Amino acid sequence: MNLKSANKIDTNKYEVIVEVEADVFNTEVNKVYRREVKKINIPGFRKGKAPRAIIEKMYGEGVFYDDAIQNLYPGALADAAEEEKLDVVGVDDISVEEAGKQGFTFKAVVFVSPEEVDINGYEGIKIVAKPTEVTEELVNEEIEKVRDRNSRLVTVEDRPVKDGDITVIDFEGFVDGEAFEGGKAENFNLTIGSGQFIPGFEEQIIGKSTGDEFTIDVTFPEEYQAEELAGKASQFKIKLHEIKEKELPEVDDEFVKDVSDSETVDEYKEEIRKDIAERLQDEADSDAERQIVEKLCELLEAEIPEVMYENKQNDMLRDFDMQLRQQGLDLKTYIQYSGMSADDIKENYREVAEQRVKLRLALEKIAEKEGFTEVTDEDVEAEYNKLAEAYKMEADKVKELIPVEALKKDIAVEKAMDFVKESAIKE
């Protein structure tokens, strides 16, 4: 590869002209010939046995050039970018200037990572800290959730329906005196106050008793999904078969032993306090990091090529596809059933993609300013071991997958983020 020229033509945009030597090009052309000759029929030769010179004479000297050029130019462009120290993030255009036995020359217009990046004011970022105090109210709310999960349903015989009851009903709906499709059910379990039915339906069952038969009047919402019923007045004939309510267990030592590893109510409450404290601290830490990330993106000064956002969106789409495959699906199937296109999904990632690109640039600049780019061998080894443990892999395998220079950049970025977090001021 011979880099003939590299000229800046716009902000973060370069035109490079690269020459690939004759021996490299001809070797690749010969590889393409050996692959393609198996598919070519030439009169007088057995299929797959025609000499390259004969095929080129029949179809033209450049019959194998396009494939050879496609195979070679990515590596040649990467070598040229490395020589010129260009961090290429996207290719705008590529054109072949000339190609022949002397090799080939191509021109590429490329986008590079922002060359002018700066950030100030990242030390001492002010954030609003979320409260982490564990109150008795929070403890009691958690206990009530556990009581509810361990409740049992009992039939009520001595009172009418009240809010929160589970009723067993038959119902049939009518509009203008005519029954409508989907408006009938028997022995249906309806929790009063759940909002499962249209407004006004559940409230009119309150006060009724087991065995009652009655009619209620309701109006379907204007935005109801069944257009033929939207906005229509209707009547429902109801028969109430059964009223049930939740019976919650008493909070005593026996209950505690059933639902936890504690022995007493006091021990259980202390266990809950610790769990809530950890949860609140995690939520506070996440919220603090969110505020820091937003501020760093705001402070960043850089003209960012659009292709960097598009690349990140494509990365996120590939990650989503991998997650689907782990669940036995794939992106094609998801698109078929969701009614969304790949472009729709990518657009949903746009805001997050922009933030991730900006954050990375911001942290890389902070790492440079604070001297975190000097990563030691001990740092690298520790990070490889941490990744190996996280992914349940051998450290040597991780080293094969993640180049050391890429890992060093990640370590520097992580140190920069830790620095910003530690210097943040909580209000």
Side-chain angles (χ1 to χ4, degrees), residues 125-150:
I125 290 175
K126 294 181 180 180
I127 59 175
V128 179
K130 289 190 72 172
T132 57
E133 179 188 359
V134 181
T135 64
E136 284 302 309
E137 182 181 0
L138 289 173
V139 173
N140 290 334
E141 284 178 2
E142 190 61 33
I143 292 175
E144 286 306 304
K145 290 177 185 176
V146 177
R147 291 181 74 202
D148 187 69
R149 289 198 295 269
N150 288 272

Side-chain angles (χ1 to χ4, degrees), residues 23-284:
D23 58 338
V24 175
F25 184 47
N26 287 322
T27 298
E28 190 62 35
V29 170
N30 207 42
K31 287 182 183 177
V32 175
Y33 155 71
R34 290 198 300 270
R35 185 187 71 221
E36 296 298 320
V37 70
K38 301 170 187 176
K39 310 172 188 175
I40 299 174
N41 280 316
I42 299 291
F45 296 91
R46 284 184 296 156
K47 185 176 181 180
K49 297 298 182 181
R52 173 180 161 185
I54 297 296
I55 297 173
E56 289 177 339
K57 185 175 181 180
M58 179 170 286
Y59 293 103
E61 182 181 85
V63 63
F64 301 120
Y65 284 4
D66 284 349
D67 284 353
I69 289 169
Q70 288 296 319
N71 293 342
L72 288 173
Y73 94 77
L77 180 57
D79 290 343
E82 184 177 355
E83 180 178 326
E84 194 63 19
K85 293 183 168 47
L86 298 178
D87 184 9
V88 175
V89 295
V91 178
D92 186 38
D93 183 57
I94 283 193
S95 58
V96 177
E97 301 286 284
E98 57 179 340
K101 294 188 182 301
Q102 77 282 3
F104 77 95
T105 301
F106 68 93
K107 179 172 67 177
V109 177
V110 299
F111 294 104
V112 299
S113 184
E115 296 175 297
E116 296 183 12
V117 177
D118 201 7
I119 185 168
N120 296 292
Y122 54 82
E123 191 172 358
I125 290 175
K126 294 181 180 180
I127 59 175
V128 179
K130 289 190 72 172
T132 57
E133 179 188 359
V134 181
T135 64
E136 284 302 309
E137 182 181 0
L138 289 173
V139 173
N140 290 334
E141 284 178 2
E142 190 61 33
I143 292 175
E144 286 306 304
K145 290 177 185 176
V146 177
R147 291 181 74 202
D148 187 69
R149 289 198 295 269
N150 288 272
S151 63
R152 66 188 186 96
L153 291 177
V154 295
T155 300
V156 176
E157 302 283 1
D158 57 352
R159 64 166 177 80
V161 176
K162 68 177 183 180
D163 193 27
D165 284 344
I166 296 93
T167 58
V168 181
I169 60 173
D170 295 343
F171 65 84
E172 185 173 15
F174 299 84
V175 170
D176 297 329
E178 297 291 330
F180 57 85
E181 186 177 352
K184 182 177 181 179
E186 295 180 351
N187 294 312
F188 186 88
N189 282 272
L190 175 63
T191 300
I192 306 301
S194 64
Q196 187 176 355
F197 278 26
I198 60 176
F201 188 103
E202 295 167 21
E203 292 86 344
Q204 295 183 59
I205 299 178
I206 293 175
K208 305 300 182 182
S209 299
T210 301
D212 285 353
E213 297 185 31
F214 52 94
T215 300
I216 62 176
D217 296 304
V218 291
T219 300
F220 284 95
E222 294 291 343
E223 301 81 20
Y224 195 66
Q225 62 267 26
E227 293 182 6
E228 68 276 10
L229 297 176
K232 294 289 183 67
S234 60
Q235 298 77 41
F236 281 85
K237 292 182 178 179
I238 312 288
K239 182 172 183 179
L240 177 58
H241 291 294
E242 188 178 7
I243 305 169
K244 295 183 281 189
E245 67 177 354
K246 287 182 179 179
E247 186 177 82
L248 302 179
E250 291 296 322
V251 181
D252 53 23
D253 291 350
E254 291 305 311
F255 166 76
V256 165
K257 291 174 185 177
D258 287 340
V259 300
S260 72
D261 293 329
S262 299
E263 294 291 326
T264 67
V265 173
D266 288 341
E267 287 179 9
Y268 181 50
K269 286 186 175 182
E270 187 58 33
E271 177 186 324
I272 290 176
R273 286 190 187 93
K274 289 179 181 178
D275 290 343
I276 294 175
E278 289 179 8
R279 173 171 57 82
L280 292 179
Q281 189 59 57
D282 288 343
E283 291 174 357

Side-chain angles (χ1 to χ4, degrees), residues 300-331:
L300 178 68
E301 299 173 26
E303 289 190 45
I304 303 172
E306 174 68 21
V307 68
M308 292 186 72
Y309 299 138
E310 293 172 359
N311 288 344
K312 183 58 67 175
Q313 286 173 281
N314 288 331
D315 290 343
M316 295 172 72
L317 186 64
R318 281 192 292 271
D319 289 344
F320 181 57
D321 187 25
M322 288 179 62
Q323 292 170 12
L324 290 173
R325 290 176 187 278
Q326 290 171 359
Q327 299 168 19
L329 297 173
D330 58 27
L331 187 60

